[in-house]
Amino acid sequence: MIARLHAVVLSFMALVFVGVALGQTPVQPTSSSVPPSRDVIAARVNGQAVWEIAVFRALLQVRADRRAEARPEVINYLVDNTIVDQYLIQLKIPVDQKEVEDHIAKLKEEAVKGKKDFKKMLGELYITEDELRAELVSALRWDKFVLQQGSDKVLEDMFTKNVDMFNGSRMRARHILIPVKDGKQAEAQASASAIKKAVEAEVAQVLAKLPPTTDVITREKERAKALESSFSEMAKKYSTCPSAKNGGDLDYFRRVTDMVEPFARAAFALKPYQMSEPVVTEFGCHVILAIDYRPGKEVKFEQVKPLVQEVYGERLREAVLTAYKSKSKIEIVEKK
């Protein structure tokens, strides 16, 4: 299975078996989390409804005190899914109903193995069998599109040109996240640039105090030490990412799948103890400090083909959204 179908099925089953393992309901709404009526609309995409119940289901997986903050991101994701699905429907990508029923049958089998009643389980997840079928149809349609576009030749070419994405190489970095408020991206970038300059100024002050006779190696060690210390303090002071409490430390991450692409691309372009220019992602504006790089191992295409296919699918999705989101009529419905 390709990424999106894999995600749909696995996330569904993960919710089920977390509940089985703990002997409790997989998702727990708070007293203020009353399921909305299924006719309530959260957004419209080219006239097609994005239902509030879908937003509700997604937000149940978010800590209660962060749901209001996460809501716009959830709606944006569901809007993006709708845009992609509308595009594939226009392409007339067929989905055999038997495939959908086969997946439903597998889920029912897994429920039986977990000693769960399937219908009750759906109720606990706030999803109807028809809604689950609709999700599976969209996921299967996307998978078929990825397979059509991503031939072995295309995938192997992507692998050859981007080996560091797939060989297990890892980067350790710190970052400072400045949110973009009210769409004012330039202001966030200016703030990030100012923080970077402040770090550079502090490092310069430390280096200026070193004896003129300090050798190059010692000087570089002192520069790295001062840079990480200053950056860490700035992260604690200004970053809105949860990593701020650790000085923005993200530990080691891979070139793909761990971070959003603009961030990962910028981080892996750095050398250890080098800072990036402000990097804009869907989360805000980042300044990145590379700390360490661990090279990957030699791999062959056949060994990592599923990962290459997953990354190709993500890039394909981004391309579809880049081409069609700006042309789509998107209306976010104010929640009452």
Side-chain angles (χ1 to χ4, degrees), residues 5 8-9 12-13 97-112 118-119 121-122 127-137 140:
L5 177 58
V8 169
V9 177
F12 179 81
M13 295 315 298
Q97 192 61 33
K98 184 178 182 303
E99 290 183 74
V100 177
E101 296 308 318
D102 285 345
H103 283 291
I104 294 290
K106 288 176 185 177
L107 291 174
K108 288 181 176 179
E109 287 174 12
E110 292 299 327
V112 171
F118 187 70
K119 289 186 177 180
M121 187 175 66
L122 292 178
I127 190 168
T128 67
E129 197 164 324
D130 284 343
E131 288 168 343
L132 179 59
R133 281 189 171 85
E135 287 293 323
L136 286 169
V137 167
L140 284 164

Side-chain angles (χ1 to χ4, degrees), residues 70-115:
R71 179 180 171 83
E73 185 181 337
V74 168
I75 291 176
N76 183 63
Y77 179 76
L78 294 172
V79 164
D80 286 354
N81 278 355
T82 304
I83 292 169
V84 171
D85 206 39
Q86 288 176 350
Y87 170 68
L88 299 185
I89 289 171
Q90 288 179 1
L91 294 181
K92 298 182 179 179
I93 305 292
V95 175
D96 189 336
Q97 192 61 33
K98 184 178 182 303
E99 290 183 74
V100 177
E101 296 308 318
D102 285 345
H103 283 291
I104 294 290
K106 288 176 185 177
L107 291 174
K108 288 181 176 179
E109 287 174 12
E110 292 299 327
V112 171
K113 289 178 184 177
K115 298 181 179 179

Side-chain angles (χ1 to χ4, degrees), residues 219-230:
R219 187 178 181 83
E220 179 56 28
K221 286 181 179 179
E222 290 300 314
R223 186 192 74 82
K225 181 180 176 182
L227 178 58
E228 188 166 8
S229 175
S230 175

Side-chain angles (χ1 to χ4, degrees), residues 48 94 280:
Q48 180 178 337
V280 177

Side-chain angles (χ1 to χ4, degrees), residues 13-27 116 124:
M13 295 315 298
L15 288 172
V16 172
F17 290 112
V18 165
V20 171
L22 299 179
Q24 62 187 29
T25 304
V27 287
K116 294 283 287 185
E124 293 172 349

Side-chain angles (χ1 to χ4, degrees), residues 2 142 146 149-167 255-257 261 265 299-302 304-319:
I2 313 301
W142 172 253
V146 174
Q149 301 297 313
S151 65
D152 280 358
K153 185 179 184 305
V154 169
L155 296 179
E156 193 160 4
D157 184 58
M158 182 180 191
F159 168 78
T160 302
K161 292 178 179 177
N162 303 278
V163 174
D164 66 330
M165 287 187 176
F166 310 109
N167 65 3
R255 175 61 182 81
V256 291
T257 71
E261 173 57 18
R265 182 172 59 244
V299 292
K300 295 181 179 180
F301 170 68
E302 292 75 15
V304 292
K305 182 179 175 181
L307 178 58
V308 180
Q309 194 172 53
E310 180 180 344
V311 174
Y312 176 79
E314 290 172 359
R315 300 296 182 270
L316 190 59
R317 175 183 163 87
E318 290 169 9

